[in-house]
Amino acid sequence: MIEYLVFAAVFGLLLLGLHRKVIARVQMRPGPPVWQEILHALKFSFKSTWVPKTASSLLYVGVVLVGIGIWSAALFVVLAGESILILFAIYMLHKVVEHGFGLSSGSPYGKFGGVRSVISAASEIPLFVTIAAIYFFTDSLMLRDIIAYQAVHGPLLLIAPPAAIAMYLVILSKLPYGPFSIVESKELVSGYKTEHFGVWRAGISVIDGTKTFVLLFAFVAIFIGAVPFWAALVIMTILLVTLSFVCAVTPMLSPFDSVTVQGIITLLMVGYAAVLWWVVP
Amino acid sequence: MKRTTVTSGLAISALVIAAAWGLLAAGLIPLWAAETAIVIAFPVLVIFLALRWRAPGGEEDIPFIGY
């Protein structure tokens, strides 16, 4: 099982490297090599490391451990075909982790990043409507039941495309350099990550890699269904490249615009769920 | 953090993961128990492994705290 975790972290970092590469190529830049994020994680792990004087030591270090732990748990939830409610509860917990990162160091950049992570909780609301829309069709929120439903009726991507689009936007809001990436925008240096360096930043890389893998793998399982593992990896890569194109051609929104756009998406999704409630027997 | 503390933490987390793996393979513990042990031990393993091989030196500082 530890091999799954290591694979997820490394493959997720590779996907994030590909993300940077695609964005760079679309913007007519050479970009870093695809394995750059893996090199980053290794580089940070070898650096001198300490806890800043202004930091709350327990929170500053503990939040890194919690971050790795929750996404490790999320991976096991997806692999075991358990409830997507648990998966999305973990997704919500990640907001608390981001907030903890930002507030633990005592730096204003980190604090603003932490505050923005609370504002960007608006991106989670479409997720709940996605869950509701899926439930109308499958009568279950267990991932194994959702996969079984798709084996009979076909992919939910074709049955409930608005729900798939909503989750696609949720994943987009979690990727770096995207229109909704307000928590780590450049006017805040690195946002909530600013004062976590060295070994702590290597830990953040593991969190980011595992998180990217879990979210994309969950999308494939929820909206496409059971496919061979190699095919899931190919679909995840294609999905990520499409997300990278969106990030490459879309400017980062201001925090309030970001929340407004996500609020509009939520309203549209609530309307869709209401229609389903009437139509689906 | 002292080097002996880091080494001990690394060894304990590695042992927990190895034990969970072995016990699950032998059918002595259920899957959820092994997963719980790994979810707790894996973050410790990652951080303590990096703390074990990080470059020495450096002391706590005051980051930028505003003008």
Side-chain angles (χ1 to χ4, degrees):
Chain A
M1 285 186 298
I2 185 81
E3 67 273 23
Y4 298 145
L5 282 173
V6 174
F7 178 82
V10 172
F11 191 78
L13 286 172
L14 207 56
L15 288 175
L16 287 174
L18 180 66
H19 179 60
R20 289 184 65 184
K21 187 75 175 176
V22 171
I23 290 175
R25 300 305 301 197
V26 171
Q27 295 173 347
M28 311 288 278
R29 295 184 285 114
V34 173
W35 49 85
Q36 186 62 47
E37 294 298 317
I38 297 172
L39 297 181
H40 264 156
L42 287 173
K43 177 193 76 178
F44 282 124
S45 75
F46 290 123
K47 284 188 170 250
S48 286
T49 302
W50 58 90
V51 177
K53 273 184 182 169
T54 52
S56 158
S57 307
L58 184 65
L59 185 60
Y60 183 85
V61 176
V63 79
V64 183
L65 298 172
V66 171
I68 300 173
I70 61 171
W71 286 105
S72 304
L75 179 70
F76 289 142
V77 166
V78 175
L79 291 178
E82 292 296 328
S83 171
I84 57 172
L85 270 184
I86 301 174
L87 177 65
F88 292 150
I90 288 170
Y91 182 92
M92 297 287 289
L93 271 180
H94 183 72
K95 281 284 148 213
V96 181
V97 169
E98 282 180 352
H99 199 61
F101 269 117
L103 268 57
S104 64
S105 66
S107 160
Y109 296 125
K111 279 181 186 168
F112 276 117
V115 169
R116 283 192 182 184
S117 79
V118 176
I119 295 174
S120 70
S123 68
E124 268 88 84
I125 304 171
L127 203 57
F128 291 121
V129 191
T130 303
I131 293 170
I134 291 168
Y135 185 79
F136 282 132
F137 289 102
T138 60
D139 284 333
S140 171
L141 290 177
M142 300 297 281
L143 195 50
R144 66 177 81 91
D145 293 340
I146 294 170
I147 291 171
Y149 174 88
Q150 292 177 100
V152 177
H153 299 91
L156 277 171
L157 181 68
L158 303 176
I159 298 168
I165 292 168
M167 188 169 170
Y168 184 87
L169 291 171
V170 166
I171 298 174
L172 179 67
S173 74
K174 275 281 146 271
L175 279 178
Y177 319 113
F180 306 116
S181 310
I182 56 173
V183 291
E184 47 186 294
S185 64
K186 288 299 164 198
E187 76 268 20
L188 300 179
V189 189
S190 296
Y192 68 91
K193 300 175 181 173
T194 302
E195 292 299 341
H196 278 77
F197 59 96
V199 170
W200 321 124
R201 182 59 77 92
I204 293 180
S205 292
V206 173
I207 295 171
D208 286 344
T210 315
K211 179 184 71 181
T212 305
F213 183 92
V214 168
L215 289 177
L216 290 171
F217 194 73
F219 184 93
V220 173
I222 294 169
F223 290 104
I224 294 175
V227 290
F229 187 63
W230 65 265
L233 296 182
V234 171
I235 296 167
M236 286 161 65
T237 307
I238 294 168
L239 199 60
L240 181 102
V241 169
T242 66
L243 287 160
S244 306
F245 267 93
V246 175
C247 292
V249 298
T250 316
M252 187 182 293
L253 299 170
S254 70
F256 296 113
D257 289 339
S258 174
V259 173
T260 305
V261 171
Q262 286 166 335
I264 292 168
I265 293 164
T266 303
L267 281 176
L268 291 172
M269 281 303 297
V270 168
Y272 175 65
V275 170
L276 286 181
W277 190 58
W278 283 105
V279 172
V280 177
Chain B
M1 197 179 284
K2 287 180 185 171
R3 198 164 175 79
T4 48
T5 312
V6 172
T7 308
S8 304
L10 180 61
I12 290 168
S13 56
L15 277 174
V16 169
I17 290 172
W21 204 1
L23 290 171
L24 180 71
L28 296 173
I29 56 171
L31 180 63
W32 65 264
E35 286 175 346
T36 305
I38 289 176
V39 163
I40 293 167
F42 181 66
V44 180
L45 180 81
V46 170
I47 294 300
F48 277 62
L49 185 64
L51 285 173
R52 182 81 172 73
W53 70 33
R54 69 176 165 153
E59 55 186 52
E60 57 179 11
D61 63 347
I62 299 175
F64 173 73
I65 53 173
Y67 296 107

